[in-house]
Amino acid sequence: PSAHAPKENFYVYVVILFVIALIALLSDIALLVFLVFHINLTIMGISTIEYKEKKNNDRPAVRHRFFICHLKFDKGCYGNWCAVMGHPSVWFLPLRYGSDDGYYLPEVTEEDLKKLESYAAEQIAKMDGNTPPSSVAAASDSVHQAKTEAKF
C-alpha cells in the first residue's frame, strides 16, 4: 500500500492544481470583460450611470437629451482618454498632471458652442428616426438652452 500512496497523492495534487487554474482562468476572463467595458466608457467619456440610465434608455426623449448634453463634454476618443489619464508622458508614473482639480470643467468658449450646435444638428439629422421630427431645431434649441444654463 505504501508504494501506491505517492501516486495517489500526485493525482490529488493534479486535480487541485487543475481546479485552481480553472478558477484563475474564469477570474481573468471576468476581469478582462470588466476592463474592456470601463476602457470603452472612458473612451466614450461617460460614467456608468450615464451608460445605464440615459444612453440605453428606451425613451427616445431621454436618449435625445443625453446626446445633446453629452456633446458639450465629449472630446473625442483620445481627448476623453487624456482627460481621465492625463498627458501620455505620465500614464505609467504615479504623478498628477494638469491644472484640473477634478471638481470643475474647463471653460467653454462661444466658438466651441457654435461648433457644438452645428455638430449636434448634423448628428441628429443622421440618427435613425428615434428622435422627434423636428430634431435639428430641437438640437439647436437644446444646445442653446444648455449654453444659457451652464455655469462654468
Side-chain angles (χ1 to χ4, degrees):
S2 63
H4 297 291
K7 197 174 208 180
E8 289 173 5
N9 286 342
F10 174 75
Y11 291 127
V12 170
Y13 292 137
V14 168
V15 169
I16 290 173
L17 186 63
F18 177 76
V19 169
I20 291 173
L22 187 63
I23 290 171
L25 177 67
L26 293 175
S27 298
D28 289 347
I29 291 171
L31 286 174
L32 181 64
V33 169
F34 185 77
L35 176 69
V36 168
F37 174 71
H38 282 86
I39 287 173
N40 187 35
L41 288 179
T42 302
I43 288 172
M44 290 189 306
I46 62 175
S47 68
T48 51
I49 293 173
E50 289 172 325
Y51 179 79
K52 176 69 176 150
E53 294 180 359
K54 298 175 182 161
K55 184 173 186 257
N56 294 328
N57 198 300
D58 293 335
R59 297 182 0 215
V62 173
R63 284 196 316 265
H64 175 74
R65 281 195 314 266
F66 166 75
F67 180 74
I68 296 302
C69 292
H70 179 68
L71 284 174
K72 283 194 298 187
F73 307 107
D74 188 16
K75 299 177 180 179
C77 293
Y78 181 74
N80 290 337
W81 182 265
C82 287
V84 173
M85 299 300 289
H87 192 272
S89 64
V90 295
W91 282 354
F92 300 105
L93 299 175
L95 301 173
R96 183 174 180 270
Y97 180 83
S99 61
D100 295 351
D101 60 4
Y103 294 109
Y104 302 100
L105 294 170
E107 294 282 334
V108 177
T109 64
E110 284 294 322
E111 182 181 326
D112 293 336
L113 291 171
K114 287 179 184 176
K115 290 178 186 176
L116 173 66
E117 287 177 353
S118 64
Y119 179 73
E122 290 172 13
Q123 293 300 314
I124 290 178
K126 293 178 185 178
M127 291 180 88
D128 60 355
N130 289 333
T131 57
S134 59
S135 60
V136 175
S140 181
D141 292 343
S142 298
V143 171
H144 180 68
Q145 182 181 359
K147 174 176 64 172
T148 56
E149 292 176 358
K151 304 281 191 250
F152 294 104

